[in-house]
Amino acid sequence: MQSNLRNLHVAIIMDGNGRWATGRGLPRIAGHTAGAETLRRIVEAAPDNGIGVLTVYAFSSDNWKRPQVEVDALMELLACYLDGEAARCLANGVRMSIIGRRDRLPDSLCESIDDAERKTRHCNLLQLRLAIDYSARDAILHASELAAGAQITRERFEVLLGETRPVDILIRTGGEQRLSDFLLWECAYAELVFTNRMWPDFGPFDLQRAIQQCAHRERRFGGIPQAPAAVQDHWLR
Ligand code: FPP
């Protein structure tokens, strides 16, 4: 089903992989592998749901605290995902880019990132942003350093934050209800959707339902209630 909304920026905290796996007697990494499959399906479904930018939290700067074996497996899975998906993304008009620090990532993952970004740089149907070694607080600190104390606008600050734009809808799977240092600036007026569904079980229908649920919400951005037609206008660009 086509969405009646357009060019949305949707952000997703893909939580619940570990619990999905352990609940089935599988190692945690099996949950991450299943989670990577889910991401493939969600990327495919995104344009038909009115999404122009999809930012997903693949590895937070705090995830380095996990056992080394899980960190290593995640790094490998990310490289595999980028290597395997670059051609498909190119064919489907999906531009891949990475936000977050790169200086602590394995060289092989950095090569996969460079390759995927280079191959898909001209694609413009959907922008897929993977947050890897990402911390919103560090990104804000870094942008502040670049601003070097100058009086700048919010728009200019957003460029310093990495060519970002406000998030319209933030979805978190896995039952927790927190932001976990993800896109704190960009989510200032995001509509929040929390679902108990574990990420490997999340499907295109859940994505569609989350977006349609938000389409009925009135976005006031600090203003006052509007005529019903304006409720839709706030979602259309
Ligand atoms: C949170 O689940 C998920 C992560 C820390 C990693 C997200 C990774 C993926 C979805 C798969 C790999 C992604 C790509 C792009 C290939 P958790 O481990 O915290 O789950 P839990 O809360 O049940 O323990």
Side-chain angles (χ1 to χ4, degrees):
M1 183 188 130
Q2 297 272 321
S3 169
N4 55 345
L5 308 180
R6 291 195 294 271
N7 199 18
L8 297 172
H9 182 181
V10 171
I12 307 184
I13 301 178
M14 308 180 287
D15 196 14
N17 295 341
R19 280 165 288 159
W20 181 91
T22 50
R24 286 167 172 72
L26 299 169
R28 289 176 56 81
I29 189 63
H32 298 312
T33 306
E37 270 305 316
T38 297
L39 181 59
R40 277 189 195 101
R41 290 192 293 272
I42 294 302
V43 169
E44 208 169 84
D48 277 351
N49 281 281
I51 300 176
V53 183
L54 179 65
T55 307
V56 297
Y57 212 1
F59 189 88
S60 81
S61 295
D62 286 324
N63 287 153
W64 293 114
K65 295 175 194 157
R66 294 190 175 208
Q68 193 60 42
V69 63
E70 182 168 340
V71 169
D72 290 346
L74 275 167
M75 293 296 137
E76 207 169 304
L77 187 59
L78 285 164
C80 269
Y81 180 87
L82 290 163
D83 293 344
E85 288 307 289
R88 193 200 307 253
C89 284
L90 178 62
N92 294 339
V94 179
R95 173 149 58 99
M96 300 170 106
S97 58
I98 274 54
I99 59 169
R101 285 178 66 164
R102 300 192 186 191
D103 58 309
R104 299 188 290 195
L105 302 179
D107 289 346
S108 54
L109 175 54
C110 289
E111 281 164 25
S112 301
I113 290 173
D114 290 344
D115 195 47
E117 287 185 334
R118 196 181 52 251
K119 276 189 184 139
T120 62
R121 67 186 182 283
H122 298 304
C123 297
N124 57 16
L125 179 67
L126 170 70
Q127 191 185 348
L128 170 63
R129 305 194 317 154
L130 301 180
I132 302 178
D133 195 0
Y134 174 85
S135 151
R137 287 171 300 177
D138 286 350
I140 291 167
L141 274 179
H142 181 63
S144 310
E145 281 165 15
L146 294 176
Q151 292 283 325
I152 56 167
T153 60
R154 287 179 182 172
E155 289 73 21
R156 171 81 188 122
F157 194 72
E158 283 170 2
V159 173
L160 297 177
L161 268 178
E163 301 290 345
T164 189
R165 58 171 249 218
V167 170
D168 296 300
I169 299 172
L170 175 113
I171 301 169
R172 181 174 188 143
T173 59
E176 313 287 358
Q177 303 196 355
R178 51 177 172 259
L179 293 181
S180 300
D181 204 8
F182 189 44
L183 302 175
L184 299 181
W185 171 284
E186 295 86 337
C187 282
Y189 276 103
E191 295 296 327
L192 307 181
V193 178
F194 298 107
T195 164
N196 289 332
R197 186 95 69 215
M198 299 293 143
W199 175 249
D201 289 332
F202 190 84
F205 179 70
D206 299 301
L207 177 70
Q208 184 190 318
R209 196 165 46 184
I211 291 173
Q212 289 307 323
Q213 176 186 330
C214 290
H216 300 294
R217 298 189 194 168
E218 184 182 14
R219 305 185 83 191
R220 292 201 291 278
F221 299 98
I224 59 170
Q226 303 283 309
V231 173
Q232 277 293 309
D233 284 352
H234 275 140
W235 286 100
L236 302 175
R237 290 168 219 287

